[in-house]
Amino acid sequence: MKIVMLGAPGAGKGTQAKMIAAKYSIPHISTGDIFRANIKNGTELGKKAKEYMDQGLLVPDELTVDLVIDRLSRDDCGRGYILDGFPRTIPQAEALDAALTKRGEKLDYAVNVDVPDASIVARMSGRRACTGCGATYHIEHNPSKKGEFCEVCGEPLVLRDDDKPETVQKRLTVYHDQTQPLIEYYSGQKILKTVDGTQDMNDVFAAITGILEA
Ligand code: ADP
Ligand code: AMP
């Protein structure tokens, strides 16, 4: 099963992708997580990506596409995968399609988690991310049982630099300009499925598994 998650920043793509990956035993591949791991490890890629991420801009396609295509050729992707945060531009989607076609493969679903902009800013200001393992929480909707520390690895939780309200506004503008056109792109391929992302996260999950198991 090869799935792409679509939706605005903060729509709940990562939350759902982790649950889907666990249920179907497929890897969850998040470009945001890959960039943040590179930033934490001080790599050249991390230094370059941070310049864009801190401004709420997309990391250029040249730094992003090969990274993902390489990742998809690893053995753990044999039974499929769930892509979260990639593709984010039409050229990225075309590059992904070209790489899949070359291997005689194709995507099964593009799941669009639909949340209006008005709800996004509030959600993002409540998001807390683990500095150790990248797990995400929400101070109201999904708090950590260990307070300011991660339930999984015990490291401190922080508000991501790019989740500050002024950066979130910029990311939303970038989303509408560059990423939203993917909805039409995958609709044209007849693999688009839209779910209402304003529901409780377990109800969103039930809607997605209903689609995947239909
Ligand atoms: P994305 O990966 O799309 O940027 P996340 O999955 O990190 O978004 O979710 C953004 C924030 O909203 C997180 O703090 C998360 O815990 C919270 N969240 C996710 N899904 C829901 C939901 N259905 N209802 C309320 N809050 C949610
Ligand atoms: P995310 O964790 O998915 O919200 O991504 C955080 C940030 O990483 C984004 O705001 C972008 O700056 C960058 N990023 C993640 N995925 C991509 C991508 N596919 N293309 C370009 N930039 C990306």
Side-chain angles (χ1 to χ4, degrees), residues 6-18 84-85 88 113 115 123-124 126-128 136-139 141-142 160 163 171 196-204:
L6 297 177
K13 301 181 294 297
T15 302
Q16 297 301 325
K18 286 185 185 104
D84 160 19
R88 256 184 162 101
V113 184
V115 176
R123 253 196 210 185
M124 303 287 260
R127 172 157 66 182
R128 293 294 178 271
T136 44
Y137 300 89
H138 191 281
I139 50 174
H141 308 298
N142 182 25
R160 272 166 46 179
D163 280 350
R171 291 170 70 198
D196 174 4
T198 63
Q199 309 170 85
D200 176 90
M201 47 187 89
N202 292 315
D203 294 333
V204 180

Side-chain angles (χ1 to χ4, degrees), residues 48-75:
K48 285 186 196 152
K50 187 171 170 28
E51 285 175 33
Y52 298 93
M53 290 167 75
D54 284 353
Q55 296 178 68
L57 300 173
L58 294 185
V59 177
D61 290 345
E62 306 82 81
L63 297 179
T64 309
V65 170
D66 291 349
L67 183 87
V68 177
I69 306 294
D70 277 0
R71 175 67 188 83
L72 299 185
S73 62
R74 286 212 220 144
D75 287 348

